[in-house]
Amino acid sequence: MSYGRIKATQLIDKVTTADEAARLFEHGMVIGASGFTKAGDSKAVLDALARRAEKEELKITLMTGASLGHDTDAKLTRAGALAKRMPFQVDRVLREAINRGEVLFVDQHLSESAELLHNNCLPPVDIAVIEAAFIEADGSIVPTTSVGNSVTFAALAKRVIIEINTRVPEAIYGLHDIFQPDNYPHRNVIPIVAPENRIGRRSIPVDINKIAAIVFTDIQDSPADIAPPDAKTIAIAGHLLRFFEDEVKKGHLTDRLLPLQAGIGKVANAVLSGFKDSNFYDLRMFSEVLQDSTFDLLDSGKLSFASASSITLSADCYDRVFANLQKYKDRVVLRPQNISNTPGLIRRLGVIAINTAIEFDIYGNVNSTHIGGTNIMNGIGGSGDFARNAYLSIFVTQAASKDNRISHVLPMVSHVDHTEHDVDILVTDIGLADLRGLAPRERADRIIRNCVHPEYRESLRSYFDRACQLRGGHTPHMLEEAFSWHNRLRENGSMK
């Protein structure tokens, strides 16, 4: 074991196995674990907890930063170890259990979890499990590939278990900017006026007396699933880049744009990749997750700096980045998610937010979390933090899918995550609708003309025209028909 990674030598006697550390958990506990979009997550202790839960009754509430890798959520679910999960997940097994009502899920804005804990609005954290590259001499934790909610968990948990992952080089030290806002009513100012501002320390402070166990691992983060751009994502990226070019011509933006935020997934990755061949330069990111496209843009010289809460990469890109870490350390920073996602900074910096929708309706309401209004997919993540506060709030999706049996533009969304008041731009592979300054009837006309798949355009136009004639109102709807498209899909397998 690399005891040299424990600079606080008085902690060496805390080193133990994952199975022994898992004995610290008790039925009914609230556990806070590191991990944000499969990065920097617990790779041994939670896995050992799942094995223990297979043999005895042991249910916990599990809080993280966002999603976990290495099938950890699936293992915990199958073992019956999860009573409640928050604030985000992407695991199929866990998702199915949530939708069956077997696991309770709290779908939260990612900026809110730490706030609720600090304000005592959630049950206190019993144990924090945090992945580290190493432990400093004062006991503080140098994180790995994410920060997430780890700062809050370390501060508030009664006991702390640290997983030292020797797969992550100690050279990662200095990549993190750890800053914790004070509690109300004496909250301090977060003095960030540009993404590259570093305002905190390089490690997570923790009371050394709370460290109950240290477990060594040598396991790489789960690789991100990065799908290559396809015809639809390339079309979406093209529409969006042309829109930015027009905004520059109008004098609304410069060729440097404003700080970019992009959600995870192939659409966001394709949009960011499109900047490589654009005329934009000296770009900056103030986002949640840095994906392959971020480092491609850094390598191309188009992107100057990137701030986020985690690094989530494909296997090839991970090797490239960590083999050349010094090349990126001055141009990348990882922060706690209640800093990366804080509404005030998003508004102050004028962030351009690009997030993915499951569906949107003719007035611009966006559903980003539920299928058919009932079944959760992953969660709202940070999209709401950014959508409400961004300089430009952009949502992207394909116009239709499943051999065009499903339209992603509808009379009314089956679940609302982002209201029409928070949405500026909608983009599909068909086109782009700029909704700024438009009344609901104007929005409907523009969305139908610009974003709807041709096979559904006439039907949506008919719905809107009849709603205007028969029902009227500021936002015309025929409630008896508003969800008929969803009903047809459920009953016939197609919205046509």
Side-chain angles (χ1 to χ4, degrees):
M1 292 185 184
S2 302
Y3 289 124
R5 292 201 180 214
I6 305 175
K7 316 301 181 186
T9 55
Q10 67 270 39
L11 291 174
I12 289 176
D13 63 357
K14 298 291 185 181
V15 174
T16 187
T17 66
D19 287 330
E20 284 300 313
R23 302 303 305 176
L24 296 172
F25 297 98
E26 297 177 9
H27 180 72
M29 276 187 167
V30 175
I31 308 303
S34 64
F36 193 107
T37 57
K38 301 183 179 182
D41 54 327
S42 165
K43 300 173 177 66
V45 174
L46 291 184
D47 189 68
L49 172 62
R51 293 195 299 272
R52 182 180 162 205
E54 290 174 352
K55 302 172 184 177
E56 58 185 281
E57 184 182 14
L58 180 59
K59 284 187 178 291
I60 63 167
T61 291
L62 178 61
M63 303 178 66
T64 58
S67 54
L68 301 175
H70 296 282
D71 295 324
T72 299
D73 273 322
K75 293 172 183 175
L76 290 167
T77 302
R78 292 190 184 105
L82 294 179
K84 184 179 287 187
R85 182 75 169 86
M86 63 178 78
F88 187 80
Q89 58 78 40
V90 298
D91 185 86
R92 178 186 59 81
V93 174
L94 174 55
R95 179 187 307 130
E96 291 174 354
I98 291 168
N99 287 325
R100 289 193 301 268
E102 295 169 3
V103 177
L104 298 176
F105 179 57
V106 181
D107 182 15
Q108 284 179 323
H109 297 298
L110 294 187
S111 66
E112 283 193 337
S113 302
E115 300 293 312
L116 291 169
L117 281 169
H118 280 284
N119 294 323
N120 299 313
C121 298
L122 294 175
V125 178
D126 293 295
I127 297 177
V129 184
I130 299 174
E131 185 178 80
F134 63 90
I135 301 172
E136 292 213 75
D138 63 355
S140 59
I141 300 166
V142 176
T144 57
T145 47
S146 73
V147 181
N149 282 321
S150 295
V151 181
T152 293
F153 296 152
L156 300 183
K158 298 168 187 172
R159 289 189 286 182
V160 178
I161 299 172
I162 300 174
E163 289 190 21
I164 296 179
N165 190 347
T166 56
R167 184 65 61 93
V168 178
E170 291 186 64
I172 201 170
Y173 182 72
L175 195 70
H176 311 93
D177 186 38
I178 307 303
F179 180 87
Q180 182 62 58
D182 289 339
N183 290 335
Y184 297 109
H186 305 294
R187 171 145 294 190
N188 50 336
V189 172
I190 303 174
I192 293 175
V193 296
E196 59 268 29
N197 293 159
R198 294 175 185 263
I199 61 172
R201 52 182 291 166
R202 299 181 178 187
S203 57
I204 299 172
V206 62
D207 180 351
I208 201 167
N209 296 310
K210 296 198 304 184
I211 299 175
I214 298 171
V215 176
F216 276 87
T217 66
D218 185 39
I219 304 171
Q220 189 167 306
D221 288 339
S222 290
D225 299 321
I226 303 296
D230 56 24
K232 289 183 178 181
T233 57
I234 291 170
I236 290 170
H239 297 316
L240 198 46
L241 289 168
R242 284 190 292 275
F243 166 77
F244 289 141
E245 290 167 356
D246 289 342
E247 289 293 282
V248 172
K249 291 175 184 176
K250 293 173 183 175
H252 298 164
L253 294 167
T254 72
D255 288 330
R256 291 180 171 88
L257 300 180
L258 284 165
L260 300 168
Q261 177 265 336
I264 60 174
K266 67 178 184 179
V267 177
N269 216 53
V271 170
L272 289 178
S273 296
F275 281 106
K276 283 192 296 185
D277 300 318
S278 73
N279 294 321
F280 302 106
Y281 67 99
D282 194 22
L283 300 171
R284 283 163 173 75
M285 289 187 69
F286 189 82
S287 192
E288 306 160 285
V289 183
L290 306 183
Q291 302 181 84
D292 287 25
S293 53
T294 302
F295 291 92
D296 292 342
L297 287 173
L298 286 167
D299 290 342
S300 73
K302 291 287 186 178
L303 184 67
S304 298
F305 195 88
S307 167
S309 194
S310 78
I311 297 174
T312 302
L313 305 172
S314 66
D316 289 343
C317 190
Y318 187 101
D319 291 339
R320 183 180 97 223
V321 168
F322 281 88
N324 300 279
L325 200 53
Q326 291 299 135
K327 173 182 175 183
Y328 300 106
K329 277 177 66 174
D330 291 337
R331 296 188 289 162
V332 172
V333 65
L334 298 182
R335 312 183 193 273
Q337 67 195 67
N338 56 327
I339 301 296
S340 67
N341 289 46
T342 195
L345 291 181
I346 295 166
R347 181 64 62 90
R348 180 188 301 164
L349 298 176
V351 172
I352 296 172
I354 307 168
N355 287 289
T356 304
I358 289 175
E359 61 187 16
F360 59 83
D361 66 28
I362 58 175
Y363 297 111
N365 299 292
V366 171
N367 169 18
S368 61
T369 61
H370 282 70
I371 302 298
T374 300
N375 289 334
I376 192 78
M377 271 296 290
N378 300 329
I380 195 168
S383 59
D385 296 322
F386 284 90
R388 180 66 184 89
N389 301 284
Y391 170 82
L392 280 174
S393 176
I394 301 167
F395 282 91
V396 299
T397 189
Q398 55 189 323
S401 63
K402 304 294 183 184
D403 296 323
N404 298 333
R405 296 193 305 275
I406 299 174
S407 174
H408 293 264
V409 191
L410 298 155
M412 184 181 286
V413 287
S414 58
H415 177 92
V416 180
D417 291 293
H418 314 284
T419 75
E420 59 183 285
H421 311 291
D422 298 337
V423 179
D424 297 317
I425 312 292
L426 292 171
V427 195
T428 68
D429 48 303
I430 302 300
L432 179 148
D434 184 349
L435 307 179
R436 293 173 295 176
L438 300 186
R441 293 183 187 223
E442 294 174 304
R443 284 171 162 248
D445 179 69
R446 185 162 297 182
I447 289 169
I448 293 169
R449 281 191 292 110
N450 291 7
C451 296
V452 180
H453 192 279
E455 293 185 27
Y456 291 94
R457 192 175 294 137
E458 183 177 339
S459 295
L460 266 183
R461 175 63 66 181
S462 171
Y463 173 88
F464 174 59
D465 288 344
R466 287 181 294 114
C468 290
Q469 294 165 7
L470 300 175
R471 297 290 182 267
H474 177 62
T475 307
H477 266 304
M478 296 183 292
L479 295 182
E480 64 274 20
E481 283 191 36
F483 295 118
S484 60
W485 295 38
H486 295 93
N487 289 335
R488 284 198 296 272
L489 177 64
R490 185 183 64 225
E491 294 168 4
N492 306 318
S494 174
M495 288 185 175
K496 294 180 182 179

